[in-house]
Amino acid sequence: MLSLTLVPKPTSTVTKFNHSRPISLSKPQSLLHQHLPLLGSTSKPSRSRSIHGISNGIPWNPTSTSLLKLDFIRIHGTPCGFPSQIPRSAAAAADVPQEPSPDAEAIAAKPSKTLKLALVFGLWYLQNIIFNIYNKKALNVFPFPWLLASFQLLVGSVWMLILWSLKLQPAPKISKEFIVALLGPALFHTIGHISACVSFSKVAVSFTHVIKSSEPVFSVIFSSFLGDTYPLTIWLSIIPIVLGCSLAAVTEVSFNFGGLWGALISNVGFVMRNIYSKKSLQSFKEVDGLNLYGWISILSLLYLFPAAVFVEGSQWVQGYHHAIEAVGKPTTFYIWVLLSGLFYHLYNQSSYQALDEISPLTFSVSNTMKRVVVIIATVLVFRNPVRPLNVLGSAIAILGTFLYSQASAAQKAKKKTS
């Protein structure tokens, strides 16, 4: 019988991670033969051959061959240390995990985020327009803003209680300290809300919104009294706001001092709410904006409704009958009132959702543009007569509000960098 004696040659070893067995480079044909299954071959390696330096006579083990294939492929993470050209199916067969690229995930997430922002902004603007239209329609036939404002707070309170009870919105943890801290902001919110409703009942919606665009003026003045300092650019930005509002007021066809003072007092109320909230709610930052607004609505309702009964409660029954006569159908009046209450809460809810998604500067600019959209929409719906100087004054005031938001954002950015 003819026998063949193989003379062993020096071997080289490649060590990978915890794998300490040497790979024989002295028998390239044998090594190639061992890895033919990777290339599609179904033949098995000879049992008499040495695998990874193991002596002859060891029975062939499919598991060890599978491990050999995997180690051969994944030296330094790629086949033989080079970029992989193996098809995905082959890599999957070798149990090599395929991780998604972060860049691909970011590209895939960007359109969905853009769509979400567009939806939030669209709802915010649309809900605000619907509220202003039906609020004004209800006030035209039922001029009792105290009751209507109370009903709007009631709808918002019930809405939040439903969300909390159905666990559609995580309910905040309530403590005595939290309620006490909210008493001040809720009071100023009540003042701002009822004053705006009084203004809506006296003058055109567009005029109220032009005057309410002067809110930054009150914010700067009151904050300065409380010790805050502002750069010259912010002081200069409020000048066109004052001039524009003044021009719009003297040229307003539906001008009424009650409507003017209502809008101005509303600005004071909301500015004081914001200032007071920053000081009293520092210890409750874990409460998100929507839950905070929900509890402010509940407390504001408790403030406002007793005052509403005192101010105009004796006139509600007679006013209701007049409203039904003016509209013709009771259901039409009920729908107007219900929509004003529902969309008052929804547009405020959408504003908090928008603020969570964008920067304060973008929110401020978007809020300014929202006033422009609301003014145009209400003028078209109610066909209010508008004079050219009135339009000019409104444009100047809104431009000043935009400049203020830019200057305010620049100041905040400077404080962060310093």
Side-chain angles (χ1 to χ4, degrees), residues 227-409:
D228 292 344
T229 57
Y230 293 94
L232 181 61
T233 52
I234 288 184
W235 287 102
L236 292 176
S237 68
I238 68 175
I239 294 178
I241 299 178
V242 175
L243 295 177
C245 288
S246 301
L247 181 59
V250 298
T251 58
E252 174 62 35
V253 176
S254 64
F255 179 80
N256 178 283
F257 274 109
L260 174 63
W261 281 108
L264 293 175
I265 294 173
S266 177
N267 285 340
V268 174
F270 286 129
V271 166
M272 293 303 296
R273 179 198 64 181
N274 297 337
I275 294 175
Y276 204 96
S277 296
K278 291 179 182 178
K279 296 183 179 297
S280 64
L281 298 174
Q282 287 294 325
S283 303
F284 304 98
K285 293 183 178 180
E286 71 277 3
V287 181
D288 63 23
L290 183 55
N291 284 333
L292 184 64
Y293 178 73
W295 274 102
I296 286 179
S297 297
I298 294 173
L299 294 177
S300 295
L301 175 63
L302 299 178
Y303 278 130
L304 183 59
F305 185 69
V309 174
F310 176 77
V311 172
E312 57 184 27
S314 60
Q315 308 172 58
W316 289 343
V317 176
Q318 184 180 2
Y320 167 77
H321 291 297
H322 289 164
I324 299 302
E325 291 177 3
V327 175
K329 294 182 179 180
T331 53
T332 301
F333 175 67
Y334 299 153
I335 291 174
W336 290 355
V337 174
L338 181 60
L339 289 177
S340 73
L342 180 61
F343 282 95
Y344 171 75
H345 177 81
L346 288 179
Y347 95 76
N348 279 286
Q349 177 176 311
S350 296
S351 70
Y352 279 104
Q353 292 174 333
L355 186 58
D356 289 339
E357 298 290 336
I358 58 180
S359 67
L361 173 59
T362 305
F363 179 83
S364 181
V365 174
S366 302
N367 194 43
T368 303
M369 296 306 299
K370 180 206 69 178
R371 292 201 186 278
V372 176
V373 173
V374 169
I375 289 172
I376 295 174
T378 54
V379 167
L380 293 176
V381 170
F382 297 107
R383 301 185 180 277
N384 300 322
V386 180
R387 297 171 179 171
L389 286 178
N390 186 264
V391 175
L392 178 61
S394 302
I396 293 174
I398 293 173
L399 175 62
T401 305
F402 174 78
L403 295 176
Y404 168 81
S405 65
Q406 298 287 325
S408 180

Side-chain angles (χ1 to χ4, degrees), residues 99-319:
E99 297 182 357
S101 170
D103 293 338
E105 291 180 350
I107 294 173
K110 189 174 181 180
S112 61
K113 184 177 181 180
T114 303
L115 180 61
K116 181 181 178 181
L117 281 176
L119 181 62
V120 170
F121 273 96
L123 288 176
W124 181 25
Y125 282 32
L126 179 62
Q127 290 162 355
N128 205 304
I129 291 172
I130 294 175
F131 159 71
N132 279 277
I133 291 174
Y134 285 100
N135 182 62
K136 183 61 176 177
K137 283 189 173 186
L139 287 172
N140 283 342
V141 298
F142 187 75
F144 298 99
W146 290 77
L147 178 58
L148 193 60
S150 300
F151 178 76
Q152 290 162 357
L153 293 173
L154 174 63
V155 172
S157 301
V158 173
W159 181 274
M160 291 305 302
L161 291 174
I162 293 175
L163 293 183
W164 290 331
S165 61
L166 297 179
K167 297 183 179 180
L168 298 176
Q169 169 70 16
K173 295 181 179 180
I174 303 304
S175 62
K176 180 180 178 181
E177 292 77 12
F178 176 70
I179 298 299
V180 171
L182 272 183
L183 291 177
L187 175 61
F188 289 118
H189 179 81
T190 306
I191 294 172
H193 180 46
I194 182 55
S195 300
C197 281
V198 169
S199 179
F200 286 135
S201 68
K202 305 262 182 206
V203 294
V205 176
S206 57
F207 178 70
T208 300
H209 277 281
V210 171
I211 302 303
K212 283 181 66 64
S213 67
S214 65
E215 185 175 316
V217 177
F218 294 90
S219 179
V220 171
I221 293 174
F222 281 96
S223 298
S224 298
F225 279 126
L226 295 176
D228 292 344
T229 57
Y230 293 94
L232 181 61
T233 52
I234 288 184
W235 287 102
L236 292 176
S237 68
I238 68 175
I239 294 178
I241 299 178
V242 175
L243 295 177
C245 288
S246 301
L247 181 59
V250 298
T251 58
E252 174 62 35
V253 176
S254 64
F255 179 80
N256 178 283
F257 274 109
L260 174 63
W261 281 108
L264 293 175
I265 294 173
S266 177
N267 285 340
V268 174
F270 286 129
V271 166
M272 293 303 296
R273 179 198 64 181
N274 297 337
I275 294 175
Y276 204 96
S277 296
K278 291 179 182 178
K279 296 183 179 297
S280 64
L281 298 174
Q282 287 294 325
S283 303
F284 304 98
K285 293 183 178 180
E286 71 277 3
V287 181
D288 63 23
L290 183 55
N291 284 333
L292 184 64
Y293 178 73
W295 274 102
I296 286 179
S297 297
I298 294 173
L299 294 177
S300 295
L301 175 63
L302 299 178
Y303 278 130
L304 183 59
F305 185 69
V309 174
F310 176 77
V311 172
E312 57 184 27
S314 60
Q315 308 172 58
W316 289 343
V317 176
Q318 184 180 2

